[in-house]
Amino acid sequence: MERKAEPGDDWGHEVMFGVDAFIAATQALTRREELVAHLSETVRDEGYDNVVIARIAGGAVSELLASVLPDGYAATYMDENWARIDPILSLTQRATRAFYWNDAVKGMRPTKQQRAFLNDCEALGVQNGFTLPFHGPGRSHDVVSISMREDNAVDPTRGPLIQAMAVQTWVRLNAIDRPLSEPDLPTAQLTEREIEILRWCRDGKSYWTIGAIIGISEKTVAYHMANIFKKLSVSNRTSAIITAIQLDLLEL
């Protein structure tokens, strides 16, 4: 009997179908505005209203690359210099994977000022967010944040789909708008075994299931995935799959 997969370990066919459709649609877009509008429209169906793509340097927003936000929010954030107290922004400097804001705050000890900031954000219509940091070789990094305007329930099972769409959006923006991130996509050579494992990941299989299919242990699958992450300069399976597709190492 197959062991129950860990949360987020098994994508599921429905999620991968949504990822395929999003990639196919965005590959045909050639303008930043079209790409961000498509992401915004798609995540709205998932219950999210706001989108922010920004470059972070020196602990502050150095460039707002694209945004769909409540009226006045971006101006208030900058005018009040909220970057100096924003606990989510601070976390992106050291986070290596996507995270939900509520989960992140639970693991912190926000100051009184930070709690007031979070309350102000909720009042302005920015809450229940989901952020992905993208770290490059320099000191700056990019973030993609998606959030809600109302205090609606978050469905964690949809996290892999939203994360994949955000990764694809960032990669396409990188191709469309060079200033988003100077480095090109990595040039990588994956072994036949690594491509085989990544293909099974793309099809929604857990590490345990992949091991059973190809006759190796779950730990060996994890070892191969760690090598894939290193070669593709990514930190999780979602980014690995999207990047491999972009590099034509993996088919849609």
Side-chain angles (χ1 to χ4, degrees):
M1 180 179 293
E2 181 180 339
R3 186 202 66 182
K4 184 178 180 181
E6 294 297 323
D9 193 39
D10 194 338
W11 280 40
H13 295 295
E14 181 184 353
V15 170
M16 285 311 303
F17 178 80
V19 173
D20 288 350
F22 187 82
I23 291 175
T26 53
Q27 286 295 96
L29 302 178
T30 57
R31 295 174 57 242
R32 177 196 286 197
E33 295 79 8
E34 294 175 332
L35 185 60
V36 175
H38 186 71
L39 174 64
S40 176
E41 199 175 304
T42 305
V43 298
R44 192 176 296 119
D45 292 337
E46 296 290 328
Y48 293 88
D49 310 286
N50 307 317
V51 174
V52 170
I53 304 176
R55 168 156 288 180
I56 312 301
V61 178
S62 63
E63 185 178 2
L64 185 60
L65 299 161
S67 67
V68 178
L69 288 165
D71 291 341
Y73 179 84
T76 301
Y77 190 100
M78 301 302 287
D79 292 345
E80 296 294 329
N81 193 21
W82 274 346
R84 62 188 170 81
I85 59 171
D86 184 348
I88 304 303
L89 182 64
S90 177
L91 179 57
T92 67
Q93 298 183 65
R94 59 183 185 278
T96 58
R97 59 182 176 83
F99 60 88
Y100 286 102
W101 296 356
N102 290 344
D103 291 342
V105 171
K106 288 177 183 177
M108 302 176 181
R109 291 184 179 179
T111 65
K112 183 177 180 181
Q113 195 175 26
Q114 287 175 326
R115 289 192 179 280
F117 157 76
L118 294 172
N119 289 336
D120 286 341
C121 288
E122 290 181 11
L124 290 171
V126 178
Q127 58 188 305
N128 289 355
F130 183 93
T131 291
L132 293 89
F134 295 89
H135 295 278
R139 293 186 177 181
S140 66
H141 64 281
D142 299 334
V143 297
V144 177
S145 287
I146 299 167
S147 59
M148 299 179 178
R149 298 193 183 184
E150 302 292 336
D151 187 17
N152 298 320
V154 172
D155 182 357
T157 66
R158 305 298 287 175
L161 172 60
I162 298 168
Q163 181 177 349
M165 292 190 296
V167 171
Q168 168 66 5
T169 300
W170 183 83
V171 170
R172 284 297 297 143
L173 274 176
N174 183 45
I176 293 171
D177 188 11
R178 178 63 64 176
L180 176 63
S181 181
E182 286 80 6
D184 291 324
L185 284 170
T187 299
Q189 293 295 325
L190 300 184
T191 66
E192 290 184 9
R193 175 65 89 186
E194 289 167 347
I195 291 174
E196 180 184 21
I197 289 173
L198 198 55
R199 186 177 294 116
W200 284 117
C201 283
R202 179 202 171 285
D203 290 344
K205 305 300 183 183
S206 68
Y207 288 2
W208 186 90
T209 304
I210 295 170
I213 291 171
I214 64 179
I216 61 177
S217 70
E218 181 180 11
K219 288 185 177 180
T220 302
V221 174
Y223 170 79
H224 283 299
M225 286 301 296
N227 285 336
I228 292 170
F229 293 166
K230 184 177 180 180
K231 289 180 178 181
L232 298 181
S233 299
V234 299
S235 59
N236 55 64
R237 61 188 284 171
T238 307
S239 298
I241 292 167
I242 299 297
T243 301
I245 291 171
Q246 291 290 331
L247 294 172
D248 292 325
L249 298 173
L250 197 66
E251 68 279 359
L252 276 173

